[in-house]
Amino acid sequence: MAEHGVAEKLPPDGRSMTPSLPNVPIAQSPVDKFREFLDIKKLKCTEERLRIVRYIFEAHQHFDVDQLLESMREKKIPASRPTVYRTLNLLVDAGLLRRLTFGETTAYEHAYGYPRHEHLFCERCGGVIEFVSEELDRLLQSISREHRFRPISRKLVVQGVCEKCSKPTADRRKLDLI
Amino acid sequence: MAEHGVAEKLPPDGRSMTPSLPNVPIAQSPVDKFREFLDIKKLKCTEERLRIVRYIFEAHQHFDVDQLLESMREKKIPASRPTVYRTLNLLVDAGLLRRLTFGETTAYEHAYGYPRHEHLFCERCGGVIEFVSEELDRLLQSISREHRFRPISRKLVVQGVCEKCSKPTADRRKLDLI
DNA sequence: CTACGTGCAAATGATTTGCAAAGAT
DNA sequence: ATCTTTGCAAATCATTTGCACGTAG
């Protein structure tokens, strides 16, 4: 009664947390960039905000709000849920994070210090494979031009099944027939 | 205090309701296809469900739940909100509709009798331009193959500004600086 | 008949917000 | 000193669900 395709949660297997692309050289640290943003917007640079930003840019790649809250709690870094939401919105506005939607979950990933890329999302295990394609870039540029459309950003998620999940295994769950 | 990019609602200017691609030849009517689906799933073919399906496939292209409810109410076609939600889910499961996400809104479009295509979404006016690209298809196929990923479907939305909205007008709203 | 579908009102779940207290410039 | 941010609890919004009644097969 509640399937409507697609995995419900990001998997806890660490897969979605692992960056797969080389970092990109950056002039300022994410924290400095965020400071700059707060400054321009006349917002205050508080300890709570910095804690969250520092934590996010320490290691995570893809995460959702609950994963972030839980892992911060584990590490005894205090942060309330509303402040996390508020800060994530600031970080998206600041261009430091990108908000993603895989299946049902809202996830976040680094948008700064990490190359622009697209996602192959496995509907079976919830895993994400990242890829970069200049050809895709050129193609979308040219299509946009044909329509006199000025592209700013894009969201591309190819949904399907990854290698691991398409290999039949002994213990694989029975597929939902139909 | 509540902007975070992007238009909030599909515009009422009829733009997003207009199909821009030629229809595709189909063997059965959407209603028949839905009947078949209900039959396979051992679900009942009720008057309410048929009303909704008929109405949706009569003309709409892109719509959200509220638009659908309101326009059905205008035409005196009875349908309760829960039943509309339930039926939309069935139609998505049946492959007759595709669920889309533009900005904040969840929209639906015909997936049957209408070619597969991608979207250019104007963040200013909320308008949608549809396009088809075989080259994109080939490219994503080949990228998937490289990653031993079996693609099933995809979501691509290029966000940007359409021709009309990028032309400066007398009465254009002031842009949010920053 | 009998099980499934319907509409209502109420529940849900993710995200946001009002407010009093705490903090930054 | 002043105005923003915080955390809490409560509000919100879209969507889903429990239930008593209606209806398709």
Side-chain angles (χ1 to χ4, degrees):
Chain A
M1 238 298 153
E3 354 98 331
H4 306 306
V6 162
E8 340 285 74
K9 264 289 169 190
L10 290 177
D13 67 340
R15 176 113 187 237
S16 60
M17 313 291 274
T18 313
S20 51
L21 300 172
N23 285 355
V24 131
I26 49 178
Q28 313 164 58
S29 72
V31 174
D32 287 347
K33 188 120 168 90
F34 188 49
R35 277 209 169 87
E36 188 180 276
F37 172 82
L38 293 174
D39 202 49
I40 293 170
K41 288 278 217 170
K42 304 282 178 232
L43 299 173
K44 289 179 176 171
C45 184
T46 67
E47 200 40 57
E48 280 80 356
R49 283 172 177 168
L50 291 178
R51 266 203 293 270
I52 296 169
V53 179
R54 259 189 245 114
Y55 187 71
I56 288 174
F57 280 87
E58 216 159 78
H60 283 65
Q61 261 326 302
H62 292 147
F63 61 91
D64 65 24
V65 172
D66 287 320
Q67 289 171 342
L68 179 60
L69 277 166
E70 192 183 346
S71 75
M72 290 187 76
R73 200 169 299 129
E74 272 172 21
K75 299 231 165 53
K76 309 287 187 210
I77 302 172
S80 74
R81 183 174 283 270
T83 298
V84 164
Y85 273 109
R86 286 185 275 231
T87 306
L88 289 174
N89 284 336
L90 290 175
L91 288 168
V92 170
D93 287 352
L96 289 168
L97 288 183
R98 231 185 317 264
R99 207 190 308 272
L100 305 173
T101 312
F102 296 128
E104 311 292 270
T105 33
T106 297
Y108 294 83
E109 70 173 11
H110 295 192
Y112 185 67
Y114 200 69
R116 181 219 271 253
H117 59 273
E118 326 295 332
H119 301 94
L120 305 177
F121 174 68
C122 176
E123 296 187 343
R124 291 260 227 285
C125 69
V128 173
I129 299 169
E130 299 174 338
F131 71 90
V132 174
S133 166
E134 288 196 12
E135 201 176 334
L136 178 67
D137 235 82
R138 279 194 296 276
L139 178 56
L140 293 179
Q141 285 284 347
S142 104
I143 289 169
S144 297
R145 207 174 309 120
E146 278 169 36
H147 292 273
R148 286 167 223 79
F149 184 88
R150 183 162 53 81
I152 295 174
S153 64
R154 63 173 176 249
K155 290 186 172 178
L156 169 58
V157 178
V158 179
Q159 294 145 310
V161 182
C162 72
E163 187 179 19
K164 204 182 290 179
C165 291
S166 57
K167 278 187 187 140
T169 345
D171 63 273
R172 77 154 164 214
R173 73 180 66 166
K174 42 189 163 310
L175 350 93
D176 12 5
L177 312 165
I178 283 289
Chain B
M1 237 299 153
E3 356 97 331
H4 305 308
V6 167
E8 339 284 75
K9 264 290 169 190
L10 289 178
D13 67 339
R15 176 114 188 239
S16 60
M17 311 290 274
T18 312
S20 50
L21 301 172
N23 285 354
V24 130
I26 50 179
Q28 313 164 58
S29 73
V31 173
D32 287 347
K33 186 117 169 97
F34 188 49
R35 277 208 170 87
E36 187 181 278
F37 173 81
L38 292 174
D39 202 50
I40 293 170
K41 289 278 217 171
K42 304 281 178 236
L43 298 173
K44 290 179 178 173
C45 185
T46 67
E47 201 39 57
E48 281 78 356
R49 282 172 178 168
L50 290 180
R51 266 203 293 270
I52 296 169
V53 179
R54 261 189 245 115
Y55 187 71
I56 288 175
F57 280 89
E58 216 159 78
H60 282 65
Q61 264 321 308
H62 293 146
F63 60 90
D64 65 25
V65 173
D66 287 319
Q67 289 172 342
L68 179 61
L69 277 166
E70 192 184 344
S71 76
M72 290 187 76
R73 201 168 299 128
E74 272 171 20
K75 299 231 166 53
K76 308 290 186 207
I77 302 171
S80 75
R81 183 173 283 270
T83 298
V84 164
Y85 273 108
R86 285 186 275 230
T87 306
L88 288 173
N89 284 337
L90 289 176
L91 288 168
V92 170
D93 288 352
L96 289 169
L97 288 183
R98 234 185 313 264
R99 207 190 309 271
L100 305 173
T101 312
F102 296 128
E104 311 292 273
T105 34
T106 297
Y108 295 82
E109 70 173 9
H110 295 192
Y112 185 67
Y114 200 70
R116 181 221 271 253
H117 58 273
E118 326 297 331
H119 302 94
L120 306 177
F121 175 67
C122 176
E123 296 187 343
R124 290 260 227 287
C125 69
V128 173
I129 299 169
E130 299 174 337
F131 71 90
V132 176
S133 166
E134 287 197 13
E135 201 175 335
L136 178 67
D137 234 80
R138 279 194 296 276
L139 178 56
L140 293 178
Q141 286 285 347
S142 106
I143 290 170
S144 297
R145 205 174 310 117
E146 278 170 33
H147 292 274
R148 286 166 224 81
F149 183 87
R150 182 163 53 81
I152 295 174
S153 63
R154 63 173 175 248
K155 288 185 175 176
L156 169 58
V157 179
V158 179
Q159 295 145 310
V161 182
C162 73
E163 187 180 20
K164 204 183 291 180
C165 291
S166 57
K167 277 191 186 136
T169 344
D171 63 275
R172 75 154 166 214
R173 73 180 67 166
K174 41 189 163 309
L175 349 92
D176 13 5
L177 311 165
I178 282 292

